[in-house]
Amino acid sequence: MKGEGIRLSRREFLEVSAFAAVSSSFAKSSEKTLPPAPDFRLGSRPLVVKPILTYSVYRRLEATSWRAWGGIETESEAGKEIARIRDELQKLRKKADFPIRFLEPSKVSNPSQVANLTDIDKADAVLVYAAGAWVDTLQAIVDKGLPTIFFVRFRTQPYYLWHEIIHARFLRSHTDRLMQKRVSYDDVVVDDYDELLWRLRSLYGLVNTVGRRIIAIGGPGGWAYPPGIPSPPELARERWKLDIVTVPTPELVKMIEAARKDNRQVEKARKEAEQYMAQKGITVQTRKEFVVEAFMLANLFREIMKQHDAYAITTNGCMGSYAGIMPCLTLSLINDSGYMAYCESDFVVIPAGILLHFISGKPTFFCNPTFPTREGVILFAHCTAPRFMDGKRGEPARLLTHFESDHGAAIKVEMRKGQTVTVVNPDFEAREWCGFVGEIVGTPFLPVCRSQVEVKVKGDVSKVISSMRGFHCMIVYGDYRKEVGYALSKVGIGWTDLSS
């Protein structure tokens, strides 16, 4: 597996070069400096959105109702509204903190015009400016099967008809319950482009998670799960369409043994490790050779991902599995390069890590939760935490051994006290995830996995205690509860916000 004969497209070349540039930054940085922030959108594609204005043209009639509510009544007014929409979306695209592309806005007034929209098949989602037209036109758009958001004007003017009637006539179909199958109350935005933006951010995360290819060293797993249900890898393939590529452990071991005999690979890893250890904020409390081999393994992981055109990797097993190398620090380094790397091949929680990575534009911390205190403090720990948790700069860290084996190189990242974090806790059956927002209040040094963080729950801790599920959690800097819940609704998984 040396990569001979592999031909990369320009896109692939740029992405692989970006990965290599982050690694080489260690060699370029002088002692006690910080490397540049990596690109955490690496391997993603923009969210493509089709904007559609639905409208009606009216003709005055005497002594009868001839128009519905709304400020658009003519073709000329519809044309002016299209121009306004185009301008507003251009501003929104510049404001967005994720890649997004808006197709040319179209205007429709009946279902046949919806059928003639030739570019809608290029979109990931539809944004409907529901100024007018009737139920059949909106239904024709929704029946295209794409995630659909309705934007209605109230105070921003011109007033939109569907601000009045979308709830009762379209969503509930003149009943007292939601009747639509593909859209819900959360898919309606009134006036507020910030409300629209977080929904689009959620869909960006979703389209870059569904179908994602991930390398599973030693095969996919699920830590542990109840009998009688599909395995976590099966559920990950079903719900998220993950493309899980197995690389057998013996195959990786052969690569490790060959790399140890290759002076160029050893020297490259040594230089990268020395520059890393010399960075500001790094304290080394393990043997140098363990750190060097962690970098060598990171380079091999990069080679494997390059060969399979993948941007995510997970390891099944650690102690004794990889020719004596503990992959803890390696996985941290991969995460800090803009890629995604997870321990234990746990496909109960890996989809949450991928989703959060793209929604936030930051790396995620795969970790074990503990039983909460009555004051609402939960200890989370693992040995593979990224340093660039805020997506911009590396947190201080100590390089230690892996705790259980007291061997190799693992990392203790000193995460920022006072930092708001989102904690996502997926369930074994992929039916109902839960999560909450909290504040980092401590980074102790207990005899447990090396990266340790105490998070104080914002909300009712008794609710958290009775609601926790699965085994592992994912943590990300920032509050992304709304985005997670919205994305999950599109793949048939429920969401319980324990901080609401």
Side-chain angles (χ1 to χ4, degrees):
M1 296 180 66
K2 294 294 183 184
E4 291 89 353
I6 294 177
R7 300 184 65 182
L8 300 180
S9 68
R10 181 177 182 275
R11 170 184 171 277
E12 293 168 330
F13 174 78
L14 290 173
E15 289 166 344
V16 171
S17 298
F19 188 109
V22 172
S23 297
S24 66
S25 69
F26 300 133
K28 294 177 182 177
S29 59
S30 59
E31 186 175 348
K32 300 303 179 186
T33 62
L34 292 172
D39 177 11
F40 290 105
R41 304 295 188 189
L42 197 62
S44 72
R45 64 176 180 82
L47 176 72
V48 180
V49 179
K50 174 62 180 178
I52 301 174
L53 171 66
T54 63
Y55 74 109
S56 299
V57 173
Y58 301 102
R59 182 171 60 87
R60 179 180 290 275
L61 299 172
E62 293 300 324
T64 187
S65 296
W66 56 270
R67 62 183 177 187
W69 287 22
I72 296 178
E73 301 177 5
T74 67
E75 287 288 353
S76 175
E77 289 170 340
K80 291 178 182 177
E81 183 64 2
I82 282 286
R84 180 186 182 186
I85 288 168
R86 188 183 295 114
D87 181 63
E88 289 176 344
L89 292 180
Q90 179 69 6
K91 293 175 182 176
L92 186 67
R93 186 187 64 79
K94 292 178 180 179
K95 183 179 180 180
D97 57 355
F98 58 95
I100 185 168
R101 182 165 70 92
F102 293 104
L103 301 176
E104 178 63 21
S106 298
K107 54 187 177 73
V108 300
S109 57
N110 58 63
S112 64
Q113 291 176 343
V114 174
N116 291 331
L117 293 175
T118 58
D119 60 347
I120 198 168
D121 293 335
K122 301 175 183 177
D124 299 306
V126 178
L127 174 57
V128 180
Y129 285 81
W134 198 236
V135 171
D136 55 354
T137 302
L138 270 60
Q139 193 65 56
I141 295 171
V142 169
D143 287 346
K144 290 289 186 177
L146 297 173
T148 303
I149 301 173
F150 294 92
F151 189 91
V152 294
R153 297 196 193 275
F154 169 27
R155 292 190 173 93
T156 55
Q157 299 297 306
Y159 188 83
Y160 280 8
L161 165 66
W162 287 97
H163 176 245
E164 176 206 4
I165 60 175
I166 195 167
H167 203 295
R169 287 195 183 275
F170 187 69
L171 296 175
R172 290 189 282 118
S173 299
H174 307 130
T175 72
D176 291 324
R177 62 184 183 276
L178 179 68
M179 297 299 289
Q180 287 289 332
K181 303 299 183 184
R182 292 193 175 100
V183 291
S184 73
Y185 309 119
D186 289 336
D187 294 310
V188 180
V189 175
V190 181
D191 285 334
D192 192 336
Y193 271 103
D194 286 337
E195 284 290 305
L196 174 60
L197 189 59
W198 73 251
R199 286 169 170 82
L200 295 175
R201 183 184 299 112
S202 174
L203 294 179
Y204 165 79
L206 182 66
V207 301
N208 281 289
T209 301
V210 173
R212 172 66 47 182
R213 181 173 297 163
I214 180 170
I215 307 301
I217 303 294
W223 188 76
Y225 57 95
I229 67 169
S231 71
E234 289 175 309
L235 288 172
R237 290 184 175 108
E238 175 192 332
R239 293 297 177 91
W240 300 97
K241 314 302 180 189
L242 292 190
D243 180 7
I244 305 171
V245 177
T246 294
V247 172
T249 302
E251 191 172 315
L252 174 64
V253 170
K254 289 180 181 178
M255 293 179 69
I256 293 170
E257 292 171 344
R260 284 171 170 164
K261 298 174 183 176
D262 186 332
N263 291 335
R264 289 177 299 176
Q265 292 194 58
V266 172
E267 183 62 15
K268 181 176 185 292
R270 184 188 65 78
K271 287 181 178 179
E272 291 174 344
E274 287 176 349
Q275 292 296 328
Y276 185 88
M277 290 185 287
Q279 285 179 45
K280 182 179 179 181
I282 294 290
T283 303
V284 182
Q285 295 176 278
T286 188
R287 288 157 51 185
K288 175 182 174 180
E289 57 263 36
F290 290 153
V291 180
V292 172
E293 291 219 313
F295 272 86
M296 184 178 71
L297 185 59
N299 291 331
L300 295 178
F301 280 3
R302 183 176 69 224
E303 182 179 334
I304 291 170
M305 286 190 286
K306 174 182 172 182
Q307 289 183 354
H308 292 279
D309 190 24
Y311 298 88
I313 194 165
T314 183
T315 55
N316 195 341
C318 53
M319 289 169 278
S321 297
Y322 307 127
I325 302 177
M326 300 302 294
C328 307
L329 177 58
T330 293
L331 298 177
S332 176
L333 296 171
I334 297 293
N335 276 311
D336 279 338
S337 296
Y339 284 58
M340 294 156 281
Y342 308 107
C343 193
E344 301 187 40
S345 198
D346 183 1
F347 280 89
V348 175
V349 74
I350 284 172
I354 299 172
L355 182 65
L356 277 173
H357 173 95
F358 286 114
I359 283 176
S360 68
K362 303 166 189 170
T364 57
F365 178 31
F366 171 106
C367 54
N368 295 4
T370 59
F371 201 93
T373 70
R374 285 296 170 178
E375 293 75 32
V377 175
I378 306 178
L379 171 70
F380 296 91
H382 223 274
C383 289
T384 61
R387 291 182 64 209
F388 281 86
M389 288 294 294
D390 68 355
K392 298 177 182 178
R393 62 183 179 85
E395 303 284 31
R398 295 160 67 181
L399 303 186
L400 302 150
T401 57
H402 170 259
F403 177 74
E404 288 91 338
S405 64
D406 200 22
H407 176 78
I411 191 164
K412 174 175 171 46
V413 177
E414 305 293 349
M415 296 189 196
R416 200 175 307 160
K417 292 181 183 178
Q419 171 67 47
T420 295
V421 295
T422 301
V423 179
V424 175
N425 179 207
D427 64 316
F428 286 123
E429 298 184 40
R431 293 178 182 271
E432 181 85 13
W433 293 10
C434 67
F436 58 87
V437 68
E439 178 185 335
I440 295 177
V441 295
T443 54
F445 189 43
L446 300 169
V448 300
C449 285
R450 300 304 194 180
S451 282
Q452 305 168 22
V453 60
E454 294 174 343
V455 176
K456 184 173 178 58
V457 176
K458 293 184 179 179
D460 183 353
V461 67
S462 62
K463 189 176 175 182
V464 174
I465 291 172
S466 63
S467 300
M468 289 178 69
R469 53 205 64 177
F471 186 75
H472 291 112
C473 292
M474 287 287 178
I475 293 179
V476 68
Y477 276 17
D479 184 354
Y480 296 98
R481 291 170 293 157
K482 292 186 296 186
E483 288 91 339
V484 170
Y486 190 69
L488 291 179
S489 71
K490 306 304 180 186
V491 293
I493 298 176
W495 170 246
T496 302
D497 179 358
L498 299 173
S499 290
S500 62

